[in-house]
């Protein structure tokens, strides 16, 4: 019940951003390969930050 007041940790925020970017990259992979590769690279950078935590 009190979970609704719990703030997200930095790691949780980064995981959400990582998942969003990988989903965007997947969706773009059929239409715009260059943009898809760019989103994948951004997601990899975020994963490196997650691993550093």
């Amino acid at each position: 019940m009190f979970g609704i007041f719990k703030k997200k940790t930095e790691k949780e925020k980064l995981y959400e951003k990582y998942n969003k970017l990988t989903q965007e990259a997947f969706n773009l992979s059929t239409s715009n390969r260059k943009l898809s590769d760019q989103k994948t690279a951004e997601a990899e950078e975020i994963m490196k930050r997650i691993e550093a935590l």
Side-chain angles (χ1 to χ4, degrees):
M1 182 172 155
F2 293 105
I4 59 173
F5 299 113
K6 180 183 165 194
K7 293 189 179 202
K8 292 184 181 178
T9 64
E10 184 68 24
K11 200 171 195 178
E12 289 173 328
K13 290 177 187 177
L14 287 173
Y15 268 120
E16 283 184 7
K17 194 170 183 180
Y18 172 79
N19 288 332
K20 180 183 171 200
L21 284 171
T22 53
Q23 184 63 40
E24 286 178 19
F26 177 75
N27 291 339
L28 288 169
S29 66
T30 58
S31 61
N32 189 340
R33 187 65 189 174
K34 185 176 181 181
L35 193 55
S36 174
D37 290 343
Q38 185 180 17
K39 295 286 183 182
T40 303
E42 289 177 32
E44 287 176 7
E45 288 297 319
I46 290 176
M47 183 52 76
K48 288 179 185 176
R49 288 177 54 194
I50 292 170
E51 290 173 351
L53 292 177

